[in-house]
Amino acid sequence: MRSDVVRLFQTLPHACGYFGERTAQNLVIDPSAPQLPQLYELAVQRGYRRAGGHVYYPHCSSCKACIACRVPVARFRPNRSQKRCLARNAGVEPHIVPAGYSEEHFALYRHYLQTRHPAGGMDDARPEDFARFLYTSWSPTRFIEFREDGRLIAVAVTDFCTDGLSAVYTYFDTTRADRALGTYAILSQIRLAQERGLDHLYLGFWIQRHPKMDYKARFRPLEVLRNGVWAELRDET
């Protein structure tokens, strides 16, 4: 096989994680391809996401609800609610650390899954699940820790690409609901991308009016990928 040929696999239909009555399928770049580390950034720019060592894109025959989205960070300005979120978390200190397992991180990760996603299939996570899902040996992944008075309260798993940051996953102390730590993590990643002169923060997939995915539309301007073209999201009915 020529070294510049990369295979795409299509998964078998499986239960959709967003709509209980639907099935889903993904296109997955061959995880054994030696070029995958080099291809990954191009794939991100084309809307693909990473879960562990798998780089995938939704490819469902009867549903197009998942739409890749990204924030053009140079034009982003926090709205009033987001400014209040930043003020509430003024004492939180972010630290960029290498991606890797620790008991402290794993304990927070398990807490998050058990309280946010009970009976969701991931709430009984083991240490090997933590590593398998969040990072891999070839990915440009860093953990952004958020600490308050030295205590770990949130972690943003972030891939540092040349044109932007890709927000892979965020987990946090769910007992601090008043702090809106998920929103704060995104705002912090936007700020970090701005400081580094990067163009975008990739937020994964937006699903219009979905209770768990529509929040991404609150970060404006937001660009969405439709028919292979990125364009700014306009209010839709």
Side-chain angles (χ1 to χ4, degrees):
M1 178 180 293
R2 285 168 34 208
S3 61
D4 60 344
V5 174
V6 177
R7 295 178 296 178
L8 278 177
F9 298 107
Q10 181 168 299
T11 65
L12 293 172
H14 55 274
C16 176
Y18 304 115
F19 299 98
E21 72 282 5
R22 303 181 191 180
T23 59
Q25 288 182 275
N26 293 324
L27 291 178
V28 181
I29 299 176
D30 181 0
S32 66
Q35 315 97 311
L36 191 54
Q38 291 74 40
L39 287 172
Y40 176 57
E41 294 199 12
L42 179 61
V44 169
Q45 294 168 17
R46 296 186 178 183
Y48 280 69
R49 294 293 286 169
R50 182 184 65 77
H54 292 85
V55 181
Y56 70 95
Y57 192 87
H59 189 67
C60 307
S61 59
S62 59
C63 177
K64 305 298 180 187
C66 292
I67 301 175
C69 64
R70 68 187 187 186
V71 178
V73 299
R75 295 193 290 126
F76 175 81
R77 299 293 182 273
N79 60 29
R80 188 173 303 173
S81 175
Q82 291 161 351
K83 288 179 180 178
R84 289 197 296 268
C85 177
L86 289 169
R88 283 197 301 271
N89 292 287
V92 176
E93 297 181 0
H95 303 273
I96 301 172
V97 300
Y101 176 84
S102 74
E103 292 290 343
E104 182 186 34
H105 279 234
F106 180 62
L108 183 61
Y109 178 70
R110 273 183 63 93
H111 157 82
Y112 175 80
L113 293 178
Q114 290 173 348
T115 55
R116 272 297 177 95
H117 303 289
M122 295 176 64
D123 51 316
D124 191 27
R126 297 167 297 178
E128 54 266 35
D129 299 320
F130 176 89
R132 186 183 303 118
F133 176 56
L134 297 180
Y135 60 94
T136 186
S137 60
W138 58 260
S139 62
T141 310
R142 299 290 183 272
F143 289 173
I144 304 176
E145 297 181 339
F146 298 94
R147 295 182 180 272
E148 186 173 46
D149 298 325
R151 179 172 175 265
L152 184 69
I153 60 172
V155 176
V157 181
T158 309
D159 284 353
F160 283 63
C161 302
T162 54
D163 87 310
L165 303 179
S166 179
V168 176
Y169 198 74
T170 299
Y171 56 95
F172 50 84
D173 182 351
T174 59
T175 67
R176 316 290 286 274
D178 60 312
R179 306 294 289 275
L181 292 171
T183 295
Y184 180 66
I186 292 176
L187 294 171
S188 297
Q189 289 168 303
I190 290 173
R191 179 180 294 172
L192 180 60
Q194 291 170 336
E195 291 172 349
R196 295 191 168 213
L198 301 175
D199 295 328
H200 304 106
L201 173 65
Y202 292 88
L203 288 179
F205 301 112
W206 167 69
I207 302 178
Q208 186 179 15
R209 289 189 289 272
H210 190 283
K212 293 183 178 180
M213 302 297 283
D214 198 37
Y215 72 90
K216 298 175 185 182
R218 296 199 293 267
F219 297 88
R220 300 295 185 102
L222 186 74
E223 295 177 345
V224 294
L225 183 65
R226 289 181 170 134
N227 300 316
V229 177
W230 290 100
E232 187 169 334
L233 176 68
R234 303 298 179 183
D235 290 332
E236 302 183 10
T237 58

